[in-house]
Amino acid sequence: MKTAFFALSCLATASAFAPSRPAFKAATSVRMAEAFDQEQFIAESKEMRLKHLEEQAMYALKISVENYGNAVFPNAMIAGDCVITHLLHRMGYLKDGKCKVMVVDTFHLFPETMEFLKDIEEAYDFKAEVFCAEGIPVADKAAFDKRYGADLWKENIDEYDRVCKVEPFQRGLKTLKTDCMINGRTRWQGAERAWIDLFENAPIGGGLAKCNPIAYWTFEDTFDYIAKYKVLAHPLHAEGYPSIGDAKDTIPIPEDKSVKFVDFKFEGDMTEWCDYGQERKGRFVGLKNLDGSTKTECGIHVDGAERTWDRDLWEKDASKVKKIETTDAALEVKKGGKPSVMVVYAPWCQFSQAMEDEYEKFASEVGGDVEVYSYRGDEDREFVSGELNTSSFPTVNVIKPDGTAVKYESEVRTVDAFKEFVEKTLA
C-alpha cells in the first residue's frame, strides 16, 4: 500500500513540473526570438572549431619537429600547404631551420607557382630546397625537354610521374636525411585519403614517419584559417582554381571561374569548392592510369609507385641483342661500315615491352649475318631524333654499311617482318 502511494505521489509531482504542450511551444518560440542569435552561435562555434584544429595541428607539428631530427615539409603551395607553412612560421621552425621545406618542380607547373614560392620565402624568412628530374639543372626546362621529351606525360603518364615527381621527391627526402615527412593531405579530400590520421608510416622511405597535421580539416576550415590570419595564398585561387598542380591537367572549378577566393573571402558558390571530395576535382583532368582507371593521385603517396617498370629490356649479358649504352657507341655502330639493326626503345613503353620476345628471337635467328642492337633513347631525345629517326618508341632502324639509318615504318613487329625489311633494305 505504501509502495503504491509513493508511486502515485511521484507521478503527481512529475506532472506538476511538466508544462502543457501549447505552453511549451509558446515559451520556446519566445526564447528563440529574444535570447538566441543563431548567426552569432554559428560564428562562435566555427571559431571554437578552428581554434581546436589549430592547436591540434601545432601539437602534431611540434611532435614532428621536436621529436625527430630532420623533419621535412614537401610544399606544393596548395591551400592546405599554405596553412602549414604559416603554422610552421608561427612556431619559429622555418626561420631557425628546424623544419626544412622541399619543393618539387615538375617543369609543368603554372608559372605563378614558382613565383609564389619566392613570395613566401621572403615573407617567412626561409629558403626551400628545390628538386627536379634527375640530371637536370633546377629551372632548366630546355634541358628537361632535350633529355626526357616535352611530351613524356602524353606518352606514358606513369613514367612522367616517376621521372618528374616520385624520383625527385624521394631523392629530396634522402638528400635532406628526412626522418619525418610533413604534408597537407586531409580526409576531406576523399578517395585514397578518406581515412588518414595525424600520423602514419609513409609508403616511401621504408617506414619513414609521416605527419598529416591538418588531416581532420575540411577545405572550408583551410580557407577560414587563411582569412583569419591573412595568410599568403596561391594567386590562382583568385582566378578560380581550388587546387593547383601541373598546368597541363589542372582546371578551374567551375570552368567558368564563377567561384573565386579573392581578398580573403569567397565570391560565388563556395560549395563548388568546399563540398566533400571537391578540392581536387580540377586536378589530373583527362588523365588515366595504365589500367584505364581515372587518375586521382600523382604517385608520390602511393605504395610502390616509385617503380613503373620492373627491369630494363634486353638486359646486358642475358640477351642475344647487344646493348648500346652511350651516344658515342651508337655513332660507332653507324660508322662501322657493317650492316646492323638497332631498336631505340624506352623500358616503360608498353609497345617496347611487347616486342621484346620477337626482337630477341630475331637476334638469335639472323646469327652473325647482321649485328642486332638495342639503345635506350628516352633519356637522349635530341640525339635519337637527329641520328636514329626516332620520334616515338620503339623505333627500329636498319643501318646500311654507308651509315644510313633506314626506319622501319610498320607496326608489325615479328621475326618474319623484321627479316623481310632487312633483306629489302640491304639488297
Side-chain angles (χ1 to χ4, degrees):
M1 188 66 180
K2 287 183 179 180
T3 303
F5 176 77
F6 176 75
L8 289 170
S9 298
C10 288
L11 286 171
T13 304
S15 63
F17 286 95
S20 65
R21 191 175 300 273
F24 177 75
K25 277 190 173 181
T28 302
S29 61
V30 170
R31 285 199 297 272
M32 287 288 289
E34 296 179 357
F36 181 73
D37 186 332
Q38 181 174 313
E39 294 301 320
Q40 181 180 348
F41 177 81
I42 292 172
E44 290 175 353
S45 297
K46 287 186 69 173
E47 178 60 30
M48 290 169 62
R49 171 183 168 78
L50 191 59
K51 185 174 185 295
H52 167 72
L53 291 172
E54 284 181 49
E55 292 173 349
Q56 185 184 68
M58 293 175 84
Y59 184 59
L61 290 171
K62 181 177 181 180
I63 292 173
S64 301
V65 176
E66 301 290 350
N67 287 20
Y68 293 89
N70 291 296
V72 174
F73 173 38
N75 193 339
M77 290 162 280
I78 57 177
D81 286 359
C82 291
V83 168
I84 295 173
T85 306
H86 186 260
L87 288 169
L88 289 168
H89 167 67
R90 286 173 60 189
M91 300 173 78
Y93 291 147
L94 295 181
K95 187 174 182 178
D96 65 13
K98 282 189 174 182
C99 181
K100 298 181 179 67
V101 176
M102 180 182 98
V103 171
V104 173
D105 184 1
T106 67
F107 294 113
H108 293 74
L109 300 172
F110 287 93
E112 291 89 345
T113 297
M114 296 308 287
E115 288 300 315
F116 178 59
L117 174 60
K118 296 176 185 177
D119 294 339
I120 59 175
E121 284 178 328
E122 182 178 352
Y124 300 140
D125 196 15
F126 74 96
K127 187 67 178 175
E129 299 280 350
V130 180
F131 294 87
C132 59
E134 187 176 18
I136 306 300
V138 171
D140 194 342
K141 177 66 162 60
F144 172 85
D145 290 349
K146 180 179 178 180
R147 179 167 181 178
Y148 295 104
D151 292 332
L152 175 61
W153 68 274
K154 296 179 183 177
E155 297 169 1
N156 187 305
I157 190 62
D158 284 1
E159 180 65 4
Y160 168 79
D161 284 348
R162 186 187 73 82
V163 168
C164 297
K165 299 180 181 181
V166 179
E167 190 284 326
F169 186 88
Q170 292 189 332
R171 175 162 35 89
L173 294 178
K174 183 176 181 180
T175 300
L176 299 176
K177 298 180 172 58
T178 310
D179 53 8
C180 184
M181 177 177 70
I182 298 165
N183 78 101
R185 297 182 307 150
T186 74
R187 290 186 172 194
W188 196 255
Q189 290 164 345
E192 292 90 342
R193 306 179 176 197
W195 298 104
I196 61 172
D197 285 308
L198 285 171
F199 282 92
E200 57 185 324
N201 285 332
I204 9 187
L208 179 74
K210 180 189 287 186
C211 173
N212 308 309
I214 61 171
Y216 308 142
W217 293 43
T218 68
F219 204 34
E220 183 182 2
D221 293 328
T222 301
F223 284 105
D224 284 345
Y225 180 94
I226 290 172
K228 176 181 177 180
Y229 290 102
K230 302 296 186 285
V231 174
L232 288 174
H234 199 295
L236 288 183
H237 290 313
E239 299 296 327
Y241 292 81
S243 185
I244 298 94
D246 281 351
K248 61 182 174 54
D249 53 58
T250 303
I251 63 172
I253 297 295
E255 291 188 59
D256 64 3
K257 300 185 179 181
S258 59
V259 179
K260 303 175 183 179
F261 188 73
V262 184
D263 295 331
F264 305 108
K265 61 181 181 295
F266 276 103
E267 295 180 1
D269 182 4
M270 63 173 287
T271 63
E272 293 275 3
W273 288 19
C274 295
D275 202 0
Y276 178 76
Q278 292 292 95
E279 176 182 347
R280 290 153 58 83
K281 184 178 179 180
R283 298 282 299 280
F284 313 114
V285 175
L287 300 184
K288 300 285 185 181
N289 296 307
L290 286 181
D291 62 5
S293 60
T294 300
K295 196 166 189 63
T296 59
E297 288 281 358
C298 66
I300 285 176
H301 300 289
V302 178
D303 193 5
E306 71 279 5
R307 297 187 63 83
T308 59
W309 47 277
D310 295 327
R311 60 177 178 79
D312 199 1
L313 305 180
W314 302 291
E315 292 177 292
K316 190 175 181 180
D317 301 326
S319 172
K320 295 287 186 182
V321 179
K322 296 181 179 180
K323 182 74 68 178
I324 298 175
E325 297 180 331
T326 66
T327 54
D328 288 341
L331 290 174
E332 286 180 15
V333 170
K334 286 189 71 178
K335 297 174 182 178
K338 297 180 180 179
S340 61
V341 180
M342 186 186 305
V343 60
V344 182
Y345 73 97
W348 45 262
C349 170
Q350 58 182 322
F351 302 109
S352 297
Q353 296 167 2
M355 69 168 283
E356 183 179 21
D357 290 343
E358 285 294 305
Y359 195 69
E360 182 70 36
K361 291 176 185 176
F362 168 69
S364 298
E365 293 187 17
V366 296
D369 297 337
V370 176
E371 297 288 353
V372 180
Y373 297 96
S374 68
Y375 180 67
R376 180 177 177 180
D378 60 315
E379 296 182 350
D380 291 304
R381 304 284 182 127
E382 186 176 49
F383 173 79
V384 297
S385 175
E387 296 289 341
L388 296 169
N389 304 313
T390 302
S391 58
S392 62
F393 305 109
T395 294
V396 177
N397 287 286
V398 170
I399 311 296
K400 300 173 73 171
D402 65 0
T404 303
V406 182
K407 183 178 179 180
Y408 176 66
E409 298 286 358
S410 174
E411 294 186 2
V412 179
R413 302 181 181 104
T414 64
V415 173
D416 290 341
F418 290 145
K419 284 182 178 179
E420 182 180 353
F421 180 68
V422 171
E423 289 174 5
K424 288 182 178 180
T425 305
L426 298 178

